[in-house]
């Protein structure tokens, strides 16, 4: 989806071939809107809860007792995240090869609604107990973003160039929200009876079912891209351009932490979810125009799309003086 970026930079030539300038931008990130395929639903198989099954078999004496858990996937609705970012850029090189180093930091806010379900089955002899849980989570998140990027461009002619670059991105996400769980108690009631525990009250430590949560996670992405760029001047101070590149990105495994809060915001429990690493390779396209405002500042308007689903549209940045 299209986004918009507004950036400003003041150029200070350190040498004839070097441009240094502070940068301020607004950046749209669509990565939190990505939709997964249906593999998770197709692979939502029942898994035996070995620990609980062992406890219940020992306590009850039923060797054929089995507890199985099936997570049936989830669905989410999220806002697009906009980042107000500040940083520094350095552009250097000669007429044929130019390098740009950029460091940017910013923050944004987003809202997310997540609905998931879990199905638990307890079987013993010819008796079966079932428990269905529908879990709804609504959170407001604050996102801190760090971008570090190195790009290189070799000019082949006045109308063609070969660009390439490497990028590091880090998102630190913290959020608070509400948790609503709707479920029946057949399995938990049976477990309580067998293990001699209190009947389920949907409470934690008898302080009331938590309906407040706090979340925390950190995501890192390493990416590189290379391809071709074409330029077509359409007046003395404006150039249309097209970039077509191959984009590869890798996101290491990450941990998602959820803290369950009581009435006084005290922590009643903590859950951690480990997300596997992800690698993607795909096309990266950008179409737009650049307008020369002064000898050192240019306005760029573009629509971009990459395999990571991020887009940007308008920028003002320092150029070679």
């Amino acid at each position: 989806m299209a986004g918009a970026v507004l950036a400003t930079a003041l150029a200070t030539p350190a040498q004839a071939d070097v441009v240094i300038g502070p940068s301020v931008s607004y950046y749209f990130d669509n990565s939190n809107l990505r939709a997964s395929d249906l593999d998770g639903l197709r692979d939502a198989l029942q898994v035996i809860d070995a620990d609980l099954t062992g406890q219940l078999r020992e306590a009850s004496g039923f060797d054929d007792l089995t507890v199985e858990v099936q997570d049936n996937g989830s669905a989410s609705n999220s806002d697009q995240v906009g980042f107000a970012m500040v940083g520094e850029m350095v552009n250097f090189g000669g007429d044929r090869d130019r390098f740009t180093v950029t460091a940017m930091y910013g923050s944004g806010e987003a809202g997310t609604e997540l609905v998931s379900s879990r199905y638990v089955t307890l079987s013993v002899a010819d008796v079966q107990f079932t428990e269905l849980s529908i879990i709804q989570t609504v959170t407001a998140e604050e996102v801190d973003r760090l971008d570090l990027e190195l790009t290189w461009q070799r000019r082949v002619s006045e109308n063609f160039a070969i660009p390439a670059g490497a990028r590091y991105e880090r998102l630190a996400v913290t959020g608070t929200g509400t948790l609503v769980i709707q479920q029946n108690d057949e399995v938990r009631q049976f477990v309580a009876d067998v293990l001699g525990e209190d009947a389920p009250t949907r409470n934690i430590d008898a302080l009331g079912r938590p309906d407040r949560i706090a979340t925390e996670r950190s995501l890192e992405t390493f990416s590189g891209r290379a391809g071709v760029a074409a330029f077509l001047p359409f007046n003395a101070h404006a150039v249309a351009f097209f970039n077509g590149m191959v984009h590869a990105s890798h996101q290491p495994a990450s941990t998602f932490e959820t803290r369950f809060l009581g009435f006084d915001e005290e922590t009643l429990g903590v859950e951690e979810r480990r997300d596997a690493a992800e690698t993607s390779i795909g096309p990266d396209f950008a179409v737009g125009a650049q307008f020369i405002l002064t000898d050192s500042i240019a306005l760029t308007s573009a629509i971009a799309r990459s395999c990571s689903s991020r887009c940007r549209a308008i920028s003002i940045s320092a150029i070679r003086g």
Side-chain angles (χ1 to χ4, degrees), residues 199-223:
T201 60
R202 304 184 190 181
N203 295 343
I204 294 180
D205 296 335
L207 294 179
R209 180 177 60 84
D211 58 3
R212 293 281 297 168
I213 60 171
T215 61
E216 183 175 343
R217 57 179 166 157
S218 179
L219 301 174
E220 293 181 305
T221 303
F222 301 85
S223 62

Side-chain angles (χ1 to χ4, degrees), residues 260-307:
F260 298 91
L261 307 178
F263 293 114
D264 296 325
E265 300 297 310
E266 72 277 20
T267 298
L268 304 180
V270 178
E271 285 187 1
E272 288 190 353
R273 186 191 74 213
R274 185 75 172 171
D275 291 334
E278 178 181 321
T279 300
S280 59
I281 300 176
D284 186 331
F285 298 106
V287 179
Q290 185 176 76
F291 303 90
I292 309 302
L293 302 181
T294 71
D295 291 339
S296 58
I297 300 178
L299 168 68
T300 303
S301 177
I303 297 177
R305 183 63 183 258
S306 75
C307 61

